[in-house]
Amino acid sequence: MSDSNEAFSERLFPTLTAGQVDRLATYGTRRAMRRGETLMEPGDDHPRSFVIVRGSAALLRVAGVEETIVQVIHAGQFSGEVNLLMGRAAFVRVRADDDGEIIVLDRDQVLRVLQLEAEISQIVMRAFILRRAELIARGYGDAVLIGSTHCAGTLRLREFLTRNGHPFVYIDLDTQEDVQALFDSLGITPADVPVVLSHGKVVLRNPSNEAVADSLGFNATVDLDAIRDVVIVGAGPAGLAAAVYAASEGLDALVIEPAAAGGQAVSSSRIENYLGFPNGITGQELAARAFAQAEKFGADFLIAKQAAKLRCERRPYTVDIEGGRSIAARTVIIASGATYRKPEIQRLTDFEGSGVYYGATAMEAQLCAGEEVVIIGGGNSAGQAAVFLATTCRHVYVLVRADGLADSMSRYLIRRLEGNPRISVLAQTELVAVEGNGHLEHVTWRNGKAGAEERRGIRHVFIMAGALPATDWLHGCVEADDNGFLKTGGDLKPDDLAERHWPLGRSPHSLETTLPGVFAVGDVRSGSMKRVASAVGEGSAAVALVHRVLREEGLSEPSSIASSSRPIFASRP
Ligand SMILES: Cc1cc2nc3c(=O)[nH]c(=O)nc-3n(C[C@H](O)[C@H](O)[C@H](O)COP(=O)(O)OP(=O)(O)OC[C@H]3O[C@@H](n4cnc5c(N)ncnc54)[C@H](O)[C@@H]3O)c2cc1C
């Protein structure tokens, strides 16, 4: 084995010192193991970590009756990976190779170790995350997806499993030999595609994301009956930050997310303006790290479940989940974000972050200095972006579907656009195609009146067609601005409070909505910055306010601290 392979293997399967093993013994159960004894089976929904004190054990991948050795672990080494933190079923069989001794740690015990033993926590977390990356790279998991790249359902499920960091094997019917034999062996037909084979036995035919999540046990250990200190709706940057801070400060936090952790940020191929990442970080990586961090502190996640309704008539509040079940919450953090309106143009999303942008800040202005750019939209944000970009760009084309700007843009902005020789407003014109290899290189627009198409070598398009807040599920429980974004704190005028019957002697806290103890953070909030950093800042700040509300209401003892079964964490304000 080369030095670098050896170093990687040591990080993947590190050996703890005798002192560290002794520390772990104080959290788990020490017991003997017998040669040949099966310690855990794949699909076991109470996954455990085994720390070898004496002897060795094999981690085995099981496919039908076949076993493949993934790794043999010896004294000082331990089993387990990210699934254990999530409380999801085990992927591998663990079998004792020798008579020996082990320490068995269940999920709660592992979480306690991670929170209270800083030195061991670093080694274990790194190993768990690296193991998950290896499982994904090798396609070792408990799911097989059978589909075709030409099938929308297959693409949806691939995206869902990938974004959730769940290892799976993909069988592509377009390249697979003897497809009929595969169909016959599983008792499926082409009409069933995409098919997911879960735990090697359950066959799901064209399943929803939710059905796959349920079958793979994504939410199996989440207690739906508990009254939560805080329910966080949405696991974008704002919701993830709220989850990390809430769980690390001892609150019993549950996050509800219909897709996967990361929100819009996952569409960003490189976030370069987030503090601490001078070379940028992909949205997917930032989300995966934040998700693991929230899991480590003990936050619960309901994945592939959507908040369908907030019941706000009485406390505790209740969040109804689509398809049934409700969760009771002392406080709620609304972090359900927004979606940008996008023109329906093929390949547009391929260039998001590399030629297609939804905001025009100094960073984007620098990227297109001296070049021609296109702005889509006729509202004030499009007008402001045009004036701003014209200071650095060679020429700005503003494409508007309507006859002009009069109905959608403020008069003063229209005058500025008209008076600027670097700006052209093209009315009745829409973008119809984008092309490029890696980065956007050409755009084509069409004038509806003349019917003429024009293709130009333009490398930067700004979509300023507005954003829609994800607030349908609130059914008007809280006050919103004219565009549907939620008003909070100082933005709430006495009239807003009177109309909503604000019941308290105090004014709403800074991120609080017109419902006491219900906060709005990130892109869903009126006046928010629509940036990752601001969403993260608001999500974390809201947790301090949750503590304040719980104290005000005499509920200052969060339920996780009162309950002995949940881990106890570091300091609380
Ligand atoms: C292509 C692209 C590139 C970007 N690049 C950058 C960048 O480089 N730098 C930067 O600072 N910002 C960037 N942004 C903006 C940034 O991603 C957002 O400002 C940020 O993600 C907002 O975070 P959020 O958590 O408030 O909302 P979101 O990211 O929108 O997350 C909201 C979450 O709530 C979930 N949700 C919605 N409805 C419900 C419901 N009913 N129940 C439960 N959950 C629900 C959604 O599935 C989603 O996961 C980019 C945005 C895009 C689209």
Side-chain angles (χ1 to χ4, degrees):
M1 197 190 281
S2 72
D3 282 356
S4 61
N5 276 350
E6 212 167 313
F8 181 66
S9 175
E10 176 54 27
R11 272 181 293 152
L12 212 56
F13 288 96
T15 306
L16 301 172
T17 63
Q20 289 168 335
V21 172
D22 285 345
R23 296 275 328 132
L24 288 179
T26 63
Y27 292 87
T29 312
R30 195 188 270 259
R31 75 162 176 91
M33 63 174 178
R34 291 259 153 263
R35 181 185 164 81
E37 177 187 351
T38 299
L39 302 172
M40 193 169 68
E41 282 287 9
D44 187 328
D45 51 14
H46 292 289
R48 285 140 283 155
S49 173
F50 302 100
V51 185
I52 310 292
V53 181
R54 198 164 41 78
S56 61
L59 312 182
L60 302 155
R61 185 180 179 222
V62 184
V65 288
E66 270 181 41
E67 283 182 345
T68 320
I69 297 181
V70 177
Q71 182 76 21
V72 177
I73 52 173
H74 303 276
Q77 296 184 313
F78 54 90
S79 67
E81 62 94 41
V82 171
N83 254 18
L84 185 54
L85 307 185
M86 299 177 184
R88 292 185 192 167
F91 289 145
V92 293
R93 174 175 292 157
V94 185
R95 193 165 57 217
D97 264 357
D98 303 304
D99 288 348
E101 199 181 355
I102 48 174
I103 299 162
V104 186
L105 294 149
D106 65 18
R107 177 181 182 235
D108 280 353
Q109 289 163 333
V110 170
L111 289 177
R112 272 176 184 272
V113 170
L114 294 180
Q115 288 140 24
L116 301 176
E117 298 286 341
E119 186 191 42
I120 302 177
S121 162
Q122 226 182 351
I123 301 169
V124 172
M125 272 306 279
R126 189 173 58 185
F128 278 12
I129 290 170
L130 287 175
R131 287 174 195 176
R132 171 51 64 107
E134 272 297 288
L135 288 173
I136 292 172
R138 295 196 210 175
Y140 285 3
D142 52 2
V144 178
L145 170 62
I146 302 165
S148 154
T149 39
H150 306 296
C151 155
T154 304
L155 299 181
R156 167 179 57 78
L157 288 169
R158 274 183 92 163
E159 186 184 346
F160 176 70
L161 291 168
T162 306
R163 280 192 55 192
N164 274 293
H166 196 87
F168 66 100
V169 175
Y170 175 56
I171 297 179
D172 187 350
L173 294 172
D174 304 329
T175 55
Q176 172 80 12
E177 283 175 17
D178 206 355
V179 172
Q180 194 54 49
L182 178 72
F183 282 173
D184 292 346
S185 67
L186 293 171
I188 55 174
T189 68
D192 295 329
V193 170
V195 168
V196 173
L197 192 60
S198 146
H199 299 299
K201 42 184 187 264
V202 184
V203 178
L204 304 169
R205 294 166 169 82
N206 191 13
S208 63
N209 293 352
E210 189 178 0
V212 172
D214 288 344
S215 177
L216 294 173
F218 278 19
N219 305 312
T221 54
V222 177
D223 178 359
L224 298 177
D225 297 322
I227 302 179
R228 304 288 180 156
D229 293 325
V230 56
V231 165
I232 299 161
V233 180
L240 286 170
V244 167
Y245 278 80
S248 69
E249 292 173 10
L251 296 174
D252 180 8
L254 171 76
V255 186
I256 305 169
E257 168 59 52
Q264 297 166 55
V266 170
S267 346
S268 181
S269 52
R270 192 145 292 270
I271 299 169
E272 301 206 37
N273 57 353
Y274 188 59
L275 187 74
F277 294 92
N279 295 326
I281 181 167
T282 66
Q284 179 76 47
E285 195 183 343
L286 187 66
R289 286 176 185 221
F291 184 52
Q293 200 174 8
E295 291 274 359
K296 163 182 146 174
F297 286 120
D300 281 334
F301 282 81
L302 264 184
I303 296 290
K305 305 283 176 192
Q306 175 148 343
K309 184 169 183 161
L310 175 67
R311 292 189 182 277
C312 52
E313 313 77 41
R314 61 180 65 86
R315 309 283 294 268
Y317 297 114
T318 312
V319 181
D320 290 353
I321 309 295
E322 201 154 82
R325 299 302 301 247
S326 302
I327 315 276
R330 296 191 169 90
T331 63
V332 177
I333 296 181
I334 302 169
S336 45
T339 44
Y340 288 95
R341 286 200 190 95
K342 299 178 187 179
E344 287 195 10
I345 298 171
Q346 263 195 351
R347 298 201 59 209
L348 187 77
T349 51
D350 292 357
F351 301 112
E352 282 176 346
S354 50
V356 171
Y357 316 97
Y358 297 91
T361 68
M363 191 182 82
E364 286 86 15
Q366 252 177 21
L367 289 176
C368 42
E371 297 190 45
E372 294 189 333
V373 304
V374 164
I375 295 179
I376 314 277
N380 278 354
S381 55
Q384 284 159 2
V387 173
F388 173 62
L389 290 171
T391 57
T392 54
C393 299
R394 183 146 50 92
H395 202 87
V396 179
Y397 296 94
V398 181
L399 272 48
V400 197
R401 269 203 196 152
D403 291 341
L405 298 171
D407 292 340
S408 52
M409 197 179 285
S410 302
R411 195 65 223 143
Y412 81 95
L413 271 174
I414 297 176
R415 275 202 292 269
R416 281 191 201 161
L417 263 59
E418 287 169 349
N420 192 324
R422 286 189 174 186
I423 299 176
S424 305
V425 177
L426 308 182
Q428 294 187 345
T429 303
E430 55 186 317
L431 193 70
V432 288
V434 287
E435 303 156 61
N437 187 7
H439 195 286
L440 179 68
E441 288 162 10
H442 286 94
V443 303
T444 305
W445 62 65
R446 184 192 301 133
N447 182 282
K449 208 168 185 182
E453 286 196 357
E454 187 167 347
R455 181 173 180 267
R456 291 182 82 103
I458 289 183
R459 296 173 2 99
H460 305 280
V461 171
F462 293 83
I463 314 272
M464 297 284 172
L468 292 174
T471 51
D472 288 0
W473 62 280
L474 291 164
H475 293 280
C477 264
V478 293
E479 189 66 16
D481 68 16
D482 293 342
N483 296 315
F485 291 87
L486 306 181
K487 288 169 92 171
T488 56
D491 288 344
L492 289 164
K493 303 283 168 273
D495 284 354
D496 296 325
L497 298 179
E499 194 173 322
R500 293 281 169 177
H501 308 291
W502 174 255
L504 305 179
R506 66 163 173 83
S507 309
H509 296 308
S510 64
L511 298 166
E512 203 168 20
T513 63
T514 40
L515 278 176
V518 176
F519 301 89
V521 294
D523 280 17
V524 75
R525 194 178 69 76
S526 174
S528 70
M529 294 289 294
K530 313 281 184 283
R531 288 284 179 274
V532 173
S534 54
V536 166
E538 290 181 13
S540 6
V543 172
L545 302 169
V546 164
H547 282 292
R548 201 185 291 179
V549 167
L550 292 177
R551 265 199 309 268
E552 284 167 3
E553 299 183 0
L555 296 166
S556 61
E557 172 130 320
S559 43
S560 59
I561 291 190
S563 144
S564 58
S565 69
R566 292 185 63 84
I568 297 170
F569 305 91
S571 61
R572 289 192 294 126

